[in-house]
Amino acid sequence: MVHAVDRMGSAVRYALTLLIAVLLAASGSRAVAQQPAPVGKTAPAEQVLELKLGYLRAYAPELALSVLDVPPRDEGVAGAKVAVGDNNTTGTFLGQKFTLDLTEIRPDADAVPAFNDMVSKGARYILADLSAAQLLSIAEIARDKGVLIFNVGATDDRLREEECRANVFHTAPTRTMLADGLAQYLVWKQWRRWVLVHGSHEPDRLFADALRRAATRFGGEIIAEKEFTDTGTARRTDTGVVQIQRQMPVFTQAFPDHDVLLVADESEVFGTYVPFRTWIPRPVAGTAGLIPSAWHPASEQWGGTQIQNRFAKANGRHMLSKDMAAWTAARIVGEAATRTQSADPETLAAYIRSDDFSLAAFKGQKLTFRKWNWQLRQPIFLGDGRSVVSTSPQEGFLHQVSELDTLGVDQPETKCALTLP
């Protein structure tokens, strides 16, 4: 069911939000406006509750096979900044102030010193755009210091399963959620016979594992597989492009007849070069062609145009999946602070974990956390570079609790054993 706030016209939303915010300020009610209220008179300084968010990011410039796919310098950070602005708009009426502190480290660096520095400056809510290993290195320290971590970047399932932590909430989807969202659509289309090409790096193999799991789970069949080994050739040079045009048809020539060619190439070694270069003409999906993601820059449904326009106005570019994951994490903190009228991490965490929590995030339905591993339930967008093709879960894939739980590891399958603080 489409969330009521996402369906309102902007004029109605504006008026209702203003009314609710004023009532909250006057009565101390615990009701909440899902969308930011207009800026007004601030509360007296001595009454302002300050919530300091930190954004801890592992960053180094990246290359991509296409210059159009090179990540923006502020990917993720831009989404968090927009959300902090949204929080402050409503917070103005409620005596709350949200700030964001950004710290960047190298992808191979120790995250602990940077984390400790952010905490020493007062940050109690950390948006982590880190590798799985880096995130785990700070999780226990964060627990001991009463700090909440929101994973906005790492898709590793082990962070929600064998290595889950009670103080780590995940707004980024897992690889299994992405693979399941794609598989549901392919099965719904009756395209059940798949061949799989995966890269030689660990992230590629992990996504290939997720695709194999999805095939078993939803009735697809992977009838052949092949690894594309990274030899380090200069594929972006003229010579490299010519070689790829000649090699890719030959590389895919021996595959048996199939409906879809699946690509698992998170490392950006070959995937972009697969569509339109296969030996036989077939759709391509996975990390190239039809791509599953947490957000799509062309999404306009469920109020999506509103957040897209607001984001583009603030940043001069389109909103990407990591921007949405970071926006969602920062808005969760704002939502919990508004509901509880508190800046205490323990109080906010208790509300986020409760049955009362939900968030409107322009995805057609309210988002909630899975209590067995603190993964945010969310739809998966399926699109190419220009448009949204579909959104999963697909029609007909049912679940006794939530259809969103057909995406990723369900509670009976989980290996996570949480112990709350």
Side-chain angles (χ1 to χ4, degrees):
M1 181 178 180
V2 177
H3 196 283
V5 174
D6 285 342
R7 289 185 295 152
M8 288 181 182
S10 56
V12 176
R13 186 185 301 108
Y14 181 93
L16 287 179
T17 304
L18 175 60
L19 176 61
I20 293 171
V22 171
L23 290 175
L24 282 169
S27 65
S29 169
R30 295 166 68 89
V32 62
Q34 289 279 359
Q35 298 298 328
V39 177
K41 184 178 179 181
T42 59
E46 63 271 18
Q47 297 180 15
V48 172
L49 292 176
E50 185 171 1
L51 292 91
K52 294 185 177 182
L53 285 70
Y55 197 110
L56 182 53
R57 182 189 194 200
Y59 175 79
E62 296 181 28
L63 293 176
L65 293 181
S66 168
V67 294
L68 299 180
D69 294 330
V70 175
R73 180 66 177 82
D74 60 351
E75 183 184 22
V77 179
K81 289 181 177 179
V82 171
V84 167
D86 294 346
N87 291 346
N88 279 325
T89 303
T90 299
T92 298
F93 287 94
L94 306 178
Q96 297 173 343
K97 179 182 178 182
F98 298 82
T99 60
L100 181 70
D101 177 31
L102 170 64
T103 297
E104 292 183 345
I105 60 175
R106 291 193 57 79
D108 57 352
D110 182 1
V112 173
F115 171 80
N116 286 333
D117 182 62
M118 298 186 84
V119 174
S120 71
K121 295 177 181 177
R124 292 295 179 270
Y125 308 93
I126 303 297
L127 279 60
D129 183 6
L130 303 170
S131 69
Q134 288 172 321
L135 192 149
L136 290 172
S137 73
I138 65 174
E140 301 298 328
I141 303 172
R143 181 198 62 190
D144 295 340
K145 294 186 176 184
V147 173
L148 301 183
I149 296 176
F150 294 85
N151 169 29
V152 303
T155 58
D156 303 67
D157 281 85
R158 69 185 179 104
L159 293 176
R160 292 80 162 172
E161 296 303 314
E162 300 91 339
E163 301 288 351
C164 62
R165 299 292 187 273
N167 63 319
V168 180
F169 298 91
H170 306 274
T171 59
T174 62
R175 288 187 177 93
T176 54
M177 291 172 67
L178 296 170
D180 286 354
L182 176 60
Q184 284 190 12
Y185 179 72
L186 298 181
V187 170
W188 181 83
K189 287 287 292 180
Q190 298 297 316
W191 299 341
R192 295 176 179 268
R193 290 170 55 82
W194 310 335
V195 298
L196 171 62
V197 178
H198 62 84
S200 55
H201 297 280
E202 183 64 16
D204 311 329
R205 291 169 177 161
L206 290 173
F207 189 56
D209 288 342
L211 291 169
R212 295 185 192 100
R213 173 186 175 276
T216 301
R217 194 179 195 197
F218 297 113
E221 182 184 6
I222 297 178
I223 58 177
E225 294 187 27
K226 197 170 185 180
E227 179 177 280
F228 192 102
T229 304
D230 184 5
T231 59
T233 55
R235 289 174 302 279
R236 291 180 68 178
T237 66
D238 292 341
T239 302
V241 171
V242 171
Q243 288 177 344
I244 286 293
Q245 182 163 329
R246 291 175 178 174
Q247 291 175 1
M248 194 57 67
V250 176
F251 184 81
T252 59
Q253 182 177 5
F255 285 138
D257 190 30
H258 54 279
D259 297 320
V260 180
L261 191 152
L262 298 179
V263 175
D265 178 36
E266 291 189 15
S267 304
E268 274 284 308
V269 172
F270 70 95
T272 301
Y273 294 144
V274 176
F276 305 107
R277 291 186 172 97
T278 55
W279 184 260
I280 57 175
R282 292 293 183 270
V284 174
T287 59
L290 184 66
I291 301 174
S293 59
W295 184 248
H296 195 285
S299 177
E300 297 179 317
Q301 289 184 291
W302 311 304
T305 301
Q306 180 194 125
I307 185 65
Q308 301 276 29
N309 290 342
R310 197 161 75 243
F311 182 90
K313 182 178 180 180
N315 299 285
R317 63 172 179 83
H318 297 299
M319 192 176 198
L320 304 178
S321 288
K322 193 173 290 186
D323 296 312
M324 175 52 79
W327 181 91
T328 302
R331 280 291 299 123
I332 287 169
V333 176
E335 174 77 2
T338 300
R339 288 279 188 171
T340 62
Q341 289 291 284
S342 173
D344 174 53
E346 184 175 344
T347 302
L348 267 62
Y351 173 72
I352 294 169
R353 295 183 181 114
S354 74
D355 293 335
D356 294 329
F357 172 79
S358 66
L359 185 74
F362 309 98
K363 295 184 178 181
Q365 53 189 301
K366 65 181 181 180
L367 307 186
T368 60
F369 280 102
R370 292 171 176 161
K371 294 183 182 298
W372 60 90
N373 61 7
W374 304 129
Q375 169 64 53
L376 188 71
R377 296 180 175 96
Q378 57 191 289
I380 297 299
F381 291 83
L382 305 170
D384 57 11
R386 306 293 298 178
S387 65
V388 178
V389 174
S390 186
T391 307
S392 290
Q394 297 292 318
E395 181 181 357
F397 291 86
L398 305 178
H399 192 276
Q400 63 271 30
V401 177
S402 169
E403 290 180 2
L404 291 174
D405 286 340
T406 64
L407 306 175
V409 177
D410 200 2
Q411 187 168 12
E413 308 168 281
T414 188
K415 299 176 183 176
C416 176
L418 287 172
T419 302
L420 294 180

